[in-house]
């Protein structure tokens, strides 16, 4: 299997503290920082402004849960 994006190791996410390292996977940064969308391959969708999410991501909130 060939890696398409070497910055994020094809996960679509990089470490927020170390944006040159993947956030998950075999070569993930282990600093414990939050994930951030990969600036090369995971730019937000222009229609809704949401980047591609990690495989298996499950949202526990809905739009109805937002407080006004």
């Amino acid at each position: 299997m060939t890696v398409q994006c070497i910055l994020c190791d094809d996960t679509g996410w990089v470490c927020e503290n170390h944006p040159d390292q993947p956030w998950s996977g075999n070569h993930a940064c282990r600093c414990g920082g939050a994930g951030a969308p990969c600036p090369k391959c995971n730019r937000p969708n222009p229609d809704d402004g949401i980047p591609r999410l990690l495989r298996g991501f499950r949202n526990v909130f809905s739009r109805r849960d937002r407080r006004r």
Side-chain angles (χ1 to χ4, degrees):
M1 183 168 94
T2 61
V3 175
Q4 300 296 321
C5 182
I6 59 172
L7 188 62
C8 68
D9 210 13
D10 283 342
T11 62
W13 292 82
V14 294
C15 176
E16 188 176 63
N17 298 332
H18 306 100
D20 60 333
Q21 298 179 27
W23 188 61
S24 64
N26 294 335
H27 303 103
C29 181
R30 302 289 181 217
C31 78
C38 178
K40 286 190 173 186
C41 71
N42 196 9
R43 294 201 171 124
N45 184 346
D47 296 333
D48 57 14
I50 300 173
R52 176 173 44 103
L53 300 175
L54 289 170
R55 180 176 295 149
F57 176 82
R58 191 170 150 230
N59 188 359
V60 294
F61 298 101
S62 69
R63 292 184 188 264
R64 292 181 291 162
D65 293 334
R66 292 184 185 177
R67 295 180 188 226
R68 295 177 190 200

